């Protein structure tokens, strides 16, 4: 409960983000009007998606990815054709939905539109819709109310259309119960292993087996093209180390901006919450208040019992288990009545019963920290780092262009640029073309493309200064190069022979194991060495790998004991004896029934929506431009 109290400010931020998405994607007039006559990336029925529309959508996708990934965002991802195609597919989907709504004369009612707008917290003041705030927010983003409302109405109509399709998916109760029954079914299983190592001595490979394997799969013995490089990294973070800051500079910054180096006051408190929602009704709130008052009297008599009473009585799931401990929080983190009460207390003091929209609280203040201005010595390290960052940013802006010019104008060596800008000339190990999981800066697509270009490999020239994002540039130079090549047969012969021998041993183990299973099924005596038995189910496979679990549950169990087996890659063969089967009944009130039905319904809804969108695309005859169509192939 109190998590909601703490995070109420984030709700507005999230809703503002949702509004931004609405602004971005539902300006419906851009769907069907002002589209170039000849220039398009896709035709959807009687309308076109133009290159500027796709570019705008790509910019919005870039902003979304940058916000989502933070420092991990790599601008090179925007160059990937599959990203542009997915954005275009989304635009096509929006367009066919818009055309379907137009053809069907489907639109949101004025009442639904009004209800949606007044219910958006971003447009509210003190919990009520504010026309002034609404118009101000739209104006700040360059939207008139009429344009925004047209787009939002289109969005609501699309939601109704898609929702109708999604809600048509029906999940029979019998299907859910059948799935749960299979999930809960358990089988008591013992395993007998036939290791491949026991059969190695029986394997006799033909003399030319290794050579034939080598010739048949030469590509698997290929080594990729590789380079060793030296490189210079110009980054704002590294430049900060070159910036010197004097005590005089730090003192000046401190004296000029003392208010910036104050430590905001924070309070460490515990609380007990007795829940009573704002709309719970007078009787329920009165009962909750009475209970809180009773607890307060106990605490006043025994103040040290707060943690124990909080564990036993508090209805805040986020803090009750910790004795009501909320940790430190500053102003603005809690709802106003709670904050006012907490910041009026002294350490060790109890509040009275504090009423909020969530119920009734009793608060005890543990300690206070902050609230004063840091001394010069306390603030000095922070100010020094701040000045270094500022100096590094300035230095980076001054030399970024010059750095690019230097590595370009003196292409045969990176040393002049290293000396000029006092940068370390770094060396790499072998870097393979198309390798995955490489460290920075080799995890950048532009870097890898430049490194394996003809100019870099053959002429050994510096690459251009490549922007890595986050105020960082890199230039690289190939110092060694290896062509892609197939390793000689004699070099890999022993490994091939070992691999083929193990494969043949597994075949022998499998043949032997399958023969044993046939004998066991006929009731014949077999010298089996069964391990300890144990129950396994589809939901709790225990130590069994997936293939083994499939073999156990694929076996018919009309006659027990039943037997099954499976080849274990790299190990041999495993035989399983199923001694008993348990099939529990699914209770009518099993909470999993509802959860599973909802999950299954979502899957069916997704399939129905995909089929519906495919049908709409066929109906409105989607045609991609030649350039886009070629890129998709």
């Amino acid at each position: 409960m109190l998590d909601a109290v703490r995070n109420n400010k984030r709700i507005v931020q999230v809703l503002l983000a949702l509004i931004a998405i609405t602004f971005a994607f539902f300006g419906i007039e851009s769907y069907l009007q002002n589209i170039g006559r000849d220039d398009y990336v896709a035709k959807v029925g009687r309308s076109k998606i133009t290159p500027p529309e796709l570019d705008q959508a790509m910019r919005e996708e870039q902003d979304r990815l940058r916000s989502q990934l933070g420092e991990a965002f790599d601008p090179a991802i925007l160059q990937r054709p599959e990203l542009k195609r997915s954005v275009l597919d989304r635009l096509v989907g929006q367009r066919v939905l818009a055309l379907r709504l137009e053809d069907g004369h489907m639109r949101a009612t004025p009442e639904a539109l009004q209800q949606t707008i007044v219910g958006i917290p971003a447009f509210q003041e003190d919990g009520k819709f504010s026309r002034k705030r609404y118009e101000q927010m739209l104006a700040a983003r360059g939207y008139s109310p009429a344009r925004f409302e047209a787009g939002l109405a289109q969005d609501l109509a699309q939601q109704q259309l898609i929702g109708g399709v999604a809600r048509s998916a029906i999940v029979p109760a019998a299907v859910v119960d059948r799935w749960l029954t299979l999930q809960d079914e358990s089988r008591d299983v013992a395993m007998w292993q036939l290791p491949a190592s026991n059969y190695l001595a029986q394997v006799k490979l033909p003399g030319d087996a290794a050579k034939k394997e080598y010739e048949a799969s030469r590509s698997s013995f290929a080594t990729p093209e590789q380079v060793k490089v030296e490189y210079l990294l110009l980054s704002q973070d590294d430049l900060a180390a070159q910036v010197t800051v004097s005590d005089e500079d730090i003192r000046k910054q401190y004296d000029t901006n003392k208010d910036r180096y104050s430590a905001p006051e924070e309070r460490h408190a515990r609380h007990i919450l007795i829940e009573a929602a704002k709309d719970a009704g007078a009787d329920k709130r009165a009962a909750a208040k009475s209970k809180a008052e009773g607890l307060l009297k106990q605490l006043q008599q025994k103040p040290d019992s707060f943690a124990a009473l909080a564990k036993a009585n508090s209805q805040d799931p986020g803090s009750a288990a910790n004795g009501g401990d909320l940790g430190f929080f500053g102003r603005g983190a809690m709802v106003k009545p709670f904050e006012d009460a907490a910041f009026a207390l002294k350490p060790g003091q109890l509040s009275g019963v504090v009423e909020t929209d969530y119920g009734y609280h009793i608060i005890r203040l543990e300690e206070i920290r902050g609230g004063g201005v840091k001394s010069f010595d306390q603030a000095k390290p922070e100010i020094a780092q701040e000045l270094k960052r500022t100096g590094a940013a300035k230095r980076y802006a001054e030399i970024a262009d010059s750095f690019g010019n230097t590595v370009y104008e003196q292409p045969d060596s990176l040393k002049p640029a290293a000396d000029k800008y006092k940068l370390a000339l770094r060396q790499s190990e072998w870097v393979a073309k198309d390798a995955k999981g490489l460290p920075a800066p080799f995890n950048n697509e532009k870097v890898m493309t430049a490194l394996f270009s003809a100019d870099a490999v053959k002429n050994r020239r510096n690459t251009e200064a490549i922007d890595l994002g986050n105020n960082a540039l890199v230039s690289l130079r190939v110092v060694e190069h290896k062509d892609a090549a197939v390793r000689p047969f004699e070099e890999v012969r022993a490994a091939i022979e070992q691999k083929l021998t193990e494969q043949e041993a597994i075949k022998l183990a499998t043949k032997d194991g399958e023969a044993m299973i046939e004998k066991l099924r006929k009731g014949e005596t077999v010298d089996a060495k069964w391990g300890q038995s144990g129950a396994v189910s589809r939901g709790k496979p225990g130590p069994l790998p997936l293939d083994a679990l499939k073999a156990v549950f694929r076996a018919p169990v009309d006659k027990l004991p039943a037997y099954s087996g499976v080849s274990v890659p790299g190990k041999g063969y495993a035989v399983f004896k199923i001694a008993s089967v348990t099939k529990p009944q699914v209770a009518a009130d099993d909470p999993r029934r509802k959860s599973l039905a909802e999950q299954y319904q979502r899957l069916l809804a997704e399939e129905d929506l995909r089929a519906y969108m495919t049908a709409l695309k066929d109906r409105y005859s989607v045609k991609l431009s030649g350039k886009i169509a070629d890129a998709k192939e």
Side-chain angles (χ1 to χ4, degrees):
M1 174 62 70
L2 204 75
D3 288 342
V5 181
R6 291 177 178 171
N7 299 328
N8 63 87
K9 293 171 69 176
R10 289 287 298 158
I11 296 173
V12 174
Q13 295 171 0
V14 171
L15 285 163
L16 282 171
L18 293 175
I19 292 298
I21 293 172
T22 302
F23 289 163
F25 289 107
F26 297 102
I28 188 61
E29 67 272 16
S30 66
Y31 283 177
L32 304 175
Q33 300 174 9
N34 303 322
I35 298 175
R37 295 179 180 176
D38 302 311
D39 196 10
Y40 68 92
V41 291
K43 287 183 178 179
V44 184
R46 57 188 175 274
S47 69
K48 296 177 182 178
I49 297 174
T50 64
E53 287 179 280
L54 180 57
D55 291 343
Q56 176 63 25
M58 286 296 295
R59 286 192 291 272
E60 290 158 357
E61 182 69 4
Q62 174 180 334
D63 292 343
R64 186 189 69 81
L65 290 172
R66 192 183 298 278
S67 173
Q68 177 180 325
L69 300 177
E71 293 184 0
F73 173 71
D74 180 1
I77 194 174
L78 300 172
Q79 307 303 318
R80 295 178 183 173
E82 56 267 28
L83 178 65
K84 181 172 285 190
R85 290 199 296 270
S86 70
V87 172
L88 178 57
D89 287 343
R90 187 168 68 232
L91 291 177
V92 169
Q94 292 169 350
R95 187 65 56 86
V96 296
L97 284 173
L99 291 173
R100 176 68 189 96
L101 290 171
E102 183 179 294
D103 288 350
H105 304 289
M106 292 179 276
R107 56 182 60 87
T109 64
E111 293 77 14
L113 179 62
Q114 181 181 9
Q115 185 178 3
T116 300
I117 291 174
V118 300
I120 296 174
F123 297 149
Q124 296 176 354
E125 289 183 351
D126 299 325
K128 296 182 179 180
F129 174 73
S130 167
R131 183 74 187 182
K132 181 180 179 181
R133 182 176 178 84
Y134 171 61
E135 292 175 350
Q136 286 176 341
M137 290 191 66
L138 295 186
R141 290 159 177 79
Y143 281 82
S144 66
R147 183 183 178 190
F148 171 71
E149 289 166 16
L152 183 58
Q154 184 74 8
D155 184 14
L156 292 174
Q158 287 190 0
Q159 289 178 24
Q160 291 173 356
L161 176 60
I162 292 174
V165 176
R167 286 190 296 272
S168 66
I170 298 175
V171 181
V175 173
V176 174
D177 289 348
R178 173 62 176 161
W179 193 94
L180 287 174
T181 299
L182 292 174
Q183 189 75 358
D184 290 346
E185 177 188 328
S186 66
R187 299 188 174 192
D188 192 68
V189 178
M191 181 171 66
W192 169 27
Q193 297 187 59
L194 284 69
S197 57
N198 293 351
Y199 297 85
L200 291 174
Q202 302 177 32
V203 176
K204 302 297 180 184
L205 293 177
D208 61 347
K211 186 66 174 179
K212 285 183 177 179
E213 175 68 14
Y214 178 79
E215 295 297 339
S217 54
R218 288 176 67 90
S219 61
S220 64
F221 304 107
T223 55
E225 184 180 0
Q226 301 176 72
V227 293
K228 273 189 177 181
V229 304
E230 59 183 16
Y231 62 99
L232 286 181
L233 180 65
L234 176 69
S235 75
Q236 182 175 311
D237 291 342
D238 289 345
L239 288 175
Q242 300 179 13
V243 177
T244 58
V245 179
S246 68
D247 285 351
E248 183 181 350
D249 292 333
I250 298 174
R251 172 62 73 176
K252 183 178 179 180
Q253 176 74 0
Y254 177 78
D255 291 340
T256 306
N257 302 279
K258 271 190 178 181
D259 57 329
R260 289 179 54 190
Y261 305 111
S262 60
E265 182 179 320
E266 292 183 314
R267 301 240 160 174
H268 176 197
R270 294 178 184 269
H271 87 134
I272 296 172
L273 169 66
I274 305 303
E275 281 187 319
K278 185 178 181 180
D279 56 356
D283 290 345
K284 185 171 182 180
R285 289 188 69 85
K289 183 177 181 180
S290 177
K291 182 176 181 180
E293 289 171 343
L295 291 170
L296 179 59
K297 289 179 181 179
Q298 293 182 53
L299 289 169
Q300 288 169 341
Q301 295 173 3
K302 295 183 179 180
D304 293 340
S305 65
F306 196 101
L309 283 176
K311 284 183 180 180
N313 296 278
S314 181
Q315 294 169 330
D316 173 17
S319 68
N322 297 321
D325 196 339
L326 298 172
F328 280 97
F329 55 88
R331 288 194 179 274
M334 304 296 183
V335 291
K336 195 68 165 57
F338 190 100
E339 176 186 297
D340 290 345
F343 277 81
L345 297 174
K346 294 180 180 179
Q349 279 189 331
L350 287 172
S351 71
V353 173
V354 179
E355 180 179 1
T356 72
D357 289 348
Y358 299 96
Y360 296 91
H361 309 255
I362 305 167
I363 306 167
R364 187 178 80 181
L365 187 65
E366 300 293 311
E367 56 184 315
I368 301 172
R369 70 181 181 189
V373 176
K374 294 180 182 178
S375 69
F376 174 73
D377 288 338
Q378 290 174 324
K380 185 176 179 179
E382 176 186 345
I383 298 172
Q385 288 299 318
E386 181 183 332
L387 293 177
K388 281 178 174 288
R389 286 194 297 270
T390 302
K394 181 179 179 182
R395 176 70 173 152
Y396 181 85
E398 290 171 349
I399 68 174
D401 288 341
S402 174
F403 174 81
N405 292 335
T406 302
V407 298
Y408 176 77
E409 292 166 358
Q410 301 185 61
D412 298 325
S413 175
L414 290 171
K415 192 172 185 308
D419 293 340
K420 182 176 181 180
Y421 302 109
K422 299 179 182 179
L423 301 174
L425 190 56
R426 311 184 192 197
Q427 308 288 329
S428 79
E429 298 298 325
W430 286 106
V431 177
K433 188 176 184 179
D434 299 327
K436 305 297 182 185
L438 292 172
F442 306 104
N443 57 351
N444 183 290
E445 189 173 341
K446 287 184 178 179
V447 167
M448 296 298 285
T449 299
L451 272 184
F452 288 92
S453 67
D455 197 41
V457 170
K458 294 180 179 178
N459 301 325
R460 303 293 171 91
R461 290 178 176 168
N462 303 337
T463 69
E464 65 177 348
I466 299 170
D467 188 352
L468 300 176
N470 296 320
N471 292 331
L473 296 171
V474 68
S475 179
L476 312 95
R477 180 171 174 271
V478 174
V479 293
E480 290 187 63
H481 174 258
K482 288 181 183 178
D483 284 320
V486 176
R487 298 168 67 188
F489 172 67
E490 290 303 324
E491 185 179 317
V492 297
R493 180 174 185 169
I496 295 174
E497 288 177 344
Q498 180 180 352
K499 173 186 171 184
L500 294 177
T501 300
E502 291 174 351
Q503 289 176 347
E504 290 302 313
I506 290 174
K507 289 180 182 179
L508 291 174
T510 300
K511 182 178 179 181
D512 204 2
E514 290 174 345
M516 296 296 182
I517 289 174
E518 286 301 313
K519 289 182 179 181
L520 288 166
R521 287 173 176 170
K522 292 176 182 178
E524 298 179 17
T525 302
V526 172
D527 184 20
K529 299 176 177 60
W530 301 109
Q532 185 175 359
S533 64
V536 298
S537 67
R538 293 177 177 88
K540 297 179 180 179
L544 294 185
L546 181 59
D547 286 346
L549 191 69
K550 287 180 178 178
V552 167
F553 281 93
R554 194 181 295 124
V557 290
D558 49 325
K559 179 182 178 182
L560 295 174
Y563 301 93
S564 183
V566 66
S567 292
V568 183
K571 294 185 178 180
Y573 193 80
V575 180
F576 301 102
K577 178 172 70 174
I578 304 163
S580 63
V581 177
T582 303
K583 295 183 178 181
Q585 293 293 319
V586 179
D589 60 349
D590 190 326
R592 296 177 302 164
R593 298 177 84 238
K594 181 180 179 182
S595 175
L596 179 60
E598 290 173 349
Q599 293 178 45
Y600 196 8
Q601 196 273 342
R602 283 196 295 270
L603 290 174
L604 292 178
E606 289 172 6
E607 289 299 322
D608 288 349
L609 284 172
R610 275 193 285 269
Y612 182 69
M613 293 301 295
T614 299
L616 286 183
K617 290 175 183 179
D618 290 340
R619 174 176 179 174
Y620 290 107
S621 182
V622 176
K623 177 184 177 184
L624 302 180
S625 71
K627 183 177 180 181
I628 298 292
D630 291 342
K632 286 179 76 73
E633 295 176 355

